[in-house]
Amino acid sequence: MDAGTPLPLDAFSPSSDDDDAAVVVPQAMAEIDGSDWGQLEISEVQRRLEADGDFVILQLAATFTTPLQLSGLEVLVNAAGLRTLEVDGTYCVPSKRPMPEDREGYVLSDDLPAGEHRLAWSYVWNPPADPDGVTLVPPRILGLARCEAEVDVVEGATALVLDGPAPGSVAVVLDGVALPMSVDAPARAAVPPGAVGQARLALIFTGEAAVTRAARWVR
């Protein structure tokens, strides 16, 4: 059996051009003025805070999974009242890209290894009716669903095999063309005959918590 030619995974970057590919964080562990509310939908946290109608310090935390090593991860949150935003204890910095009016973008400059990570963010929360009021929205993480890299397709390659993702949890696009995927484990994409040399490769993760440990071209 062909052991294949390894494809380095450290060259991939999250694609932040397509907001539709963002991963939404709908729930979080909520702490209000030091009181633990447990894990709730973001919308439920907002509803309860509005019902109380008081000024509070709100801390939120959630986990997410990077499908492979990534750099330049970008998180979009609601703009008003934000105090801190960090991933695995490292603070994110404001993005310079234009954002919708109700959101701000923050970028993590450090590389993130493949696997599970902790997103934590906090607010000075006031009722939305106040001039500096806050309406919470679920954070959106850009790039987790789609990662891209310039790669070299080895001569004679018939397939790209990904170790880690379950069949059906990832799609492969080579120079804008979606490759046929097998139903076998590991995930296997058929490479078009004659494809060789430099190309743009995109991995689109359709399943939750898919982690790619290795990839290889096989002949």
Side-chain angles (χ1 to χ4, degrees):
M1 179 178 178
D2 183 6
T5 302
L7 171 67
L9 296 177
D10 57 2
F12 283 84
S13 297
S15 174
S16 58
D17 295 332
D18 184 4
D19 193 49
D20 291 335
V23 171
V24 177
V25 180
Q27 298 181 337
M29 298 295 295
E31 183 178 297
I32 290 79
D33 286 341
S35 177
D36 185 2
W37 282 14
Q39 182 162 307
L40 296 169
E41 296 282 336
I42 302 294
S43 58
E44 176 62 12
V45 175
Q46 179 72 20
R47 188 195 68 79
R48 293 188 185 187
L49 290 173
E50 288 189 33
D52 292 341
D54 295 328
F55 165 91
V56 299
I57 299 298
L58 169 65
Q59 295 180 319
L60 300 164
T63 59
F64 65 93
T65 300
T66 51
L68 64 168
Q69 178 177 312
L70 295 179
S71 60
L73 190 78
E74 191 164 7
V75 182
L76 274 61
V77 295
N78 51 308
L82 186 70
R83 298 172 67 233
T84 60
L85 189 149
E86 61 184 53
V87 175
D88 292 345
T90 299
Y91 283 103
C92 298
V93 298
S95 170
K96 296 180 180 180
R97 293 197 308 116
M99 294 292 164
E101 289 184 3
D102 65 336
R103 293 181 185 267
E104 290 181 353
Y106 287 82
V107 177
L108 183 70
S109 56
D110 292 356
D111 287 350
L112 282 180
E116 189 174 86
H117 304 281
R118 183 177 187 270
L119 171 68
W121 67 114
S122 65
Y123 291 94
V124 175
W125 191 93
N126 284 318
D130 293 351
D132 54 353
V134 177
T135 299
L136 300 175
V137 296
R140 299 169 67 87
I141 305 178
L142 302 184
L144 293 186
R146 183 182 179 100
C147 308
E148 298 183 342
E150 293 290 336
V151 301
D152 286 319
V153 182
V154 300
E155 187 174 1
T158 61
L160 174 65
V161 177
L162 306 174
D163 294 326
S169 68
V170 62
V172 178
V173 177
L174 189 66
D175 279 343
V177 178
L179 304 185
M181 301 294 297
S182 75
V183 296
D184 299 328
R188 184 184 182 103
V191 174
V196 64
Q198 193 170 68
R200 188 71 179 174
L201 180 67
L203 304 179
I204 303 170
F205 295 89
T206 58
E208 294 183 2
V211 176
T212 303
R213 297 187 301 270
R216 62 191 185 279
W217 304 104
V218 296
R219 294 181 175 89

